[in-house]
Amino acid sequence: MIECTINGQVVQTKEGQTIYEAATSAGIKIPTLCYDERLKPHGSCRICVVEVAGARSLMASCSTPAANGMVIQTESEAVVTARKEILDLILANHPLDCLTCEKAGRCTLQDLCFQYDIEESSFDGKRKNYDKDTSNEFYVADQSKCILCGKCVYVCSQVQSTEAICFIDRGFETHVGTPFEMGLSESTCVSCGNCISVCPVGALLPKRKEKYRYWETREVKTTCAYCGVGCQMKLLVKENKVVEILPDKGAANEGLLCVKGRFAHDFIGHPDRLTTPLIRRNGTLEPASWEEALNLVTEKIQTIRQEHGADAIAGFSSARVTNEENYLMNKLMRGAIGTNNIDHCARLCHASTVAGLATTLGSGAMTNPMADVKNAEVIFITGSNTTEAHPVMGAYVRQARKAGSKLIVADPREIELAEEADLFLKIRPGSSVALSNAMIHVILQEKLENKTFIEEHTEDVDQLIAAVAECTPEWAETVTGVPAETIRQAARMYADSHASSIIYSMGITQHVNGTENVMSLSNLALVTGNLGKPGAGVNPLRGQNNVQGACDMGALPNVMPAYQPVNSPETIARFKEAWGVALPQSPGLTVTQAIPAAAEGSVKMLYVMGENPMISDPDTHHVKEGLEKAFLVVQDIFLTETGQLADVVLPAAVFAEKEGTFTNTERRVQRVRQAVMAPGEARPDWWILMQLLNRLGLESSYKGPKDIFEEIRRVAPSYAGISYDRIEEEGLCWPCPAESHGGTPILHVGKIARGAGLFKPVQWQPSPELGQEAYPDIMTTGRILYHFHTRTMTAKSPGIEAIAPENYVEIHPEMASAKGIQEGDLVAIASPRGEIRVKARITDRVDAQVVFVPFHWSEGANVLTNGEVLDPYCKIPGFKVTGVNVEKTGDLGA
Ligand SMILES: Nc1nc2c(c(=O)[nH]1)N[C@H]1C(S)=C(S)[C@@H](COP(=O)(O)OP(=O)(O)OC[C@H]3O[C@@H](n4cnc5c(=O)[nH]c(N)nc54)[C@H](O)[C@@H]3O)O[C@H]1N2
Ligand SMILES: Nc1nc2c(c(=O)[nH]1)N[C@H]1C(S)=C(S)[C@@H](COP(=O)(O)OP(=O)(O)OC[C@H]3O[C@@H](n4cnc5c(=O)[nH]c(N)nc54)[C@H](O)[C@@H]3O)O[C@H]1N2
Ligand code: SF4
Ligand code: SF4
Ligand code: SF4
Ligand SMILES: [Mo]
């Protein structure tokens, strides 16, 4: 620690901190225009100058380290004079249109001119005159207002790491633009808006749908409701409307957002929102009162239970809703109805992770925090399109790479990160086990394994050695399509580092051998000792905003909250005490079993909260059969494709309309806060579930989500130490067993959670979808940056729809020419389950035998996927490999 004096106040600060940081930590405000703590110091605006006793000139506080004994003045006469001069100069070229400028009220230049009494410039400066760039769907760049602070350029290049914008020209003509002045819409800009969030003036502004002044808005801090990154954000609310969303700094997102979190918020108060319960009468859904709807659902539950048993009812919980709401769904299904038939979309997502890692490591969660990837010497990304699906994580990977980390990417498609990778392995879909085994083969052969770690922290290494003995890189080349030498290089690179991080997602899990894929990656990490330390780990990127929390809360058919097995006597005793009821003890049906069971008639009622299986589940036609046959209750914010088939529709409140918590992919429990009132009669999911609990005799009188959270703490040991008070500012990572515990950002430190890491010998098996004569092509499915899942939310934003308006298929030029298909042609894609017709996009991103179809659109990819053949361990479908036949066609078909 060092000590200096600022404005007469003695300030202690850490050695190496700047004067600006020392002052800020002591609550002394120094103005800045170009400073951002995430950027390398560039000191271009000099508005932060201070006077240091004994120094010959004023010093930029943002780049001058504080020194012991320094005596500093932040508002001395000399400082004020200098600041006035700087403002005077800036204003010389800046338009004085504060009356109409949309930035007014949040403009640092305006605030500083007010503070230092600058009304207009004393110089007769030339005004800048540039055409506005309005080509981006979400924001406008007006260089006439730019003060060249550089923040946007550096945030885009150093933090977001996209490098879409740069400085152009020199001298007075210097301005911010896109390379070759191609304009934002033609540039590599991904519309994350992270540049506009840091612009101190009105040069970068969001496009507005209505007028608002910043002083008319209030800020509500909350957590993004799209992906599992869990970005912290501020909702700007005018009256009862979210008019803009700004990034907030949190451990998960370091002040970044992606296009969805920042701009795709039109769904919140959208006119299509459900505003009243609906009941099907004579074939049509008609408005009903809550009383009628809830009574009908209760009656149905009671009669079906009486006639067919509780297991004839199945509930789908939701990775979109809060922990508190998932917990109540669990209480409703198990405690009040009496069945373990509760599951959710994790079944289609990371069920393989939960099963695989729980077996090998004793915990099915991401081992290291996202930002920790910056400590990795080597990053191995396999089956994760990180920059599109977890954009902020993607930014961290790029930051790491720029700082010197090596990057290996394995993916059948040339995803964005493939272009930047040190090694890109264009792997055939479904061949990941062969790749892992061959890498382990090389590691053992070349003695690159971590012997001490294997000895101290693992078991069954002999089985692993035997399992990979024959898996030479040459053999793996025939299976994966990746050259043997590249596999060797990848193995050496991964093993020969002090910390290597594995990042994976759906390209690993969504296979009929998904669990074995996961186990093979666990083997790779264990054999090299890459667990329980910074920069390492096995890191499944969880998808939905609260999929981690939904799993934690027991929205799974075999475990209660905190993964307590349904059939263990301790679990039963614990919940009997908490809820006062006896519990069902045999594991229930998964999502992928419940829908077929409905079609076949053994499940009579489906209660679907916050899921849209008509688009997201495999084999749409079969799904429809099940949904039509069962008594269907759908609780959603919109009348989805699934809701349209319902017997009762219950209107829910969205994240911005309720309190609660989400748990992000790094196990961080973060707050969700109410900013606006729900439309019409829509109610928070927890309220709806509480009404049903009460009607079914499990008396509940929660005043709000906080009460529910307190109950969760009592029954879920890993959440016991977390409280709303403790996560007011910053979330905590579970396990957090006590109030005195600081949370666990990195798992398995010092000891693998299971006790010893288990090597599971796994062997590659070809997907049964391959080699069908009538369906010789391979379809793989996945997501794109701009849309989220079944588009119920993203499609409400016109900017998103303008960029990604319709379904398509990516086809390699070779396949295209062999089949006579040209860009934009309609193609028919068929599988034994059905046929779809979509437009062709010709690209060599995919392999010649593989086509890619995003699954976001209805009558799309899932018409074709197989819902019958599932992973034997966890029942996940093989969304990533479907045997199809691709053909050019002339018309849209049926
Ligand atoms: N924009 C956007 N972001 C999202 C979502 C969204 O809908 N839209 N959804 C969220 C959810 S729930 C999830 S689960 C995540 C998913 O995030 P990701 O898993 O990253 O997304 P996907 O596009 O499903 O698939 C990832 C990659 O796996 C590759 N792949 C396919 N088969 C194989 C294989 O056999 N081996 C390997 N190594 N790779 C393979 C695909 O080519 C693809 O690039 O995204 C989350 N984030
Ligand atoms: N072919 C193919 N299929 C796939 C995948 C793939 O890669 N390929 N990926 C799979 C994966 S990983 C996943 S996670 C699933 C996702 O599948 P789903 O979970 O079915 O998809 P979403 O569109 O996210 O559905 C969530 C629903 O919740 C609603 N909702 C949002 N907020 C709230 C709320 O607060 N309360 C309530 N009650 N409802 C709310 C939304 O309007 C939406 O209808 O899709 C799976 N399907
Ligand atoms: S919106 Fe994002 S990608 Fe585009 S210029 Fe700004 S920071 Fe860069
Ligand atoms: S556009 Fe804004 S952030 Fe970028 S250099 Fe100009 S004033 Fe700074
Ligand atoms: S979608 Fe994911 S990355 Fe984008 S803002 Fe939301 S949480 Fe962050
Ligand atoms: Mo997912």
Side-chain angles (χ1 to χ4, degrees), residues 533-588:
K533 62 182 183 185
V538 182
N539 295 300
L541 297 180
R542 304 299 306 257
Q544 301 246 44
N545 56 321
N546 197 34
V547 66
Q548 183 64 57
C551 292
D552 298 347
M553 292 303 115
L556 297 169
N558 58 339
V559 289
M560 298 282 281
Y563 307 96
Q564 302 172 80
V566 287
N567 42 16
S568 100
E570 295 98 89
T571 315
I572 295 161
R574 173 176 264 150
F575 284 90
K576 185 152 194 229
E577 199 198 317
W579 296 349
V581 286
L583 290 168
Q585 295 178 23
S586 49

Side-chain angles (χ1 to χ4, degrees), residues 143 145-153 167 176 195 198-201 203-204:
Q143 283 303 301
K145 291 189 179 172
C146 173
I147 61 168
L148 294 176
C149 75
K151 265 158 106 175
C152 57
V153 173
F167 286 115
V176 174
C195 54
V198 296
C199 181
V201 296
L204 297 169

Side-chain angles (χ1 to χ4, degrees), residues 345-346 348-350 506 510 542-544 547 783 789:
C345 70
L348 313 171
C349 184
H350 272 293
M506 297 302 98
Q510 287 175 335
R542 304 299 306 257
Q544 301 246 44
V547 66
R783 28 194 62 70
H789 291 163

Side-chain angles (χ1 to χ4, degrees), residues 139 155-156 160 162 164-165 184 188-196:
Y139 69 97
V155 161
C156 187
Q160 166 62 26
T162 296
I165 49 176
L184 285 164
T188 56
C189 172
V190 290
S191 300
C192 64
N194 290 315
C195 54
I196 71 177

Side-chain angles (χ1 to χ4, degrees), residues 138 209 222-228 233 235 245 259-274 318-322 543-546 609-612 615 635-641 652-658 662 672 685 785-802 804 856-857:
F138 306 99
K209 283 164 205 105
T222 192
T223 304
C224 179
Y226 283 112
C227 90
M233 48 171 49
L235 309 185
I245 295 184
V259 58
K260 296 178 292 303
R262 179 69 155 94
F263 296 115
H265 53 76
D266 305 73
F267 70 92
I268 298 173
H270 196 273
D272 291 354
R273 282 284 302 278
L274 286 167
S318 173
R320 310 309 294 273
V321 311
T322 63
Q544 301 246 44
N545 56 321
N546 197 34
M609 165 172 77
E611 297 211 337
N612 192 5
I615 299 184
Q635 182 168 314
D636 206 293
I637 56 175
F638 290 107
L639 190 61
T640 61
E641 292 75 1
V654 298
F655 82 113
E657 297 156 359
K658 57 193 177 189
F662 291 156
V672 174
D685 294 277
L785 171 66
Y786 294 95
H787 274 302
F788 202 84
H789 291 163
T790 68
R791 291 170 53 256
T792 61
M793 290 149 71
T794 41
K796 303 296 186 295
S797 288
I800 296 278
E801 283 292 280
H856 303 295
W857 282 271

Side-chain angles (χ1 to χ4, degrees), residues 186-223:
E186 297 297 310
S187 74
T188 56
C189 172
V190 290
S191 300
C192 64
N194 290 315
C195 54
I196 71 177
S197 309
V198 296
C199 181
V201 296
L204 297 169
L205 283 170
K207 284 185 176 170
R208 294 181 174 192
K209 283 164 205 105
E210 67 225 274
K211 292 197 166 195
Y212 55 90
R213 292 305 237 169
Y214 281 116
W215 51 83
E216 296 175 312
T217 64
R218 58 194 167 85
E219 282 181 5
V220 180
K221 183 180 156 124
T222 192
T223 304

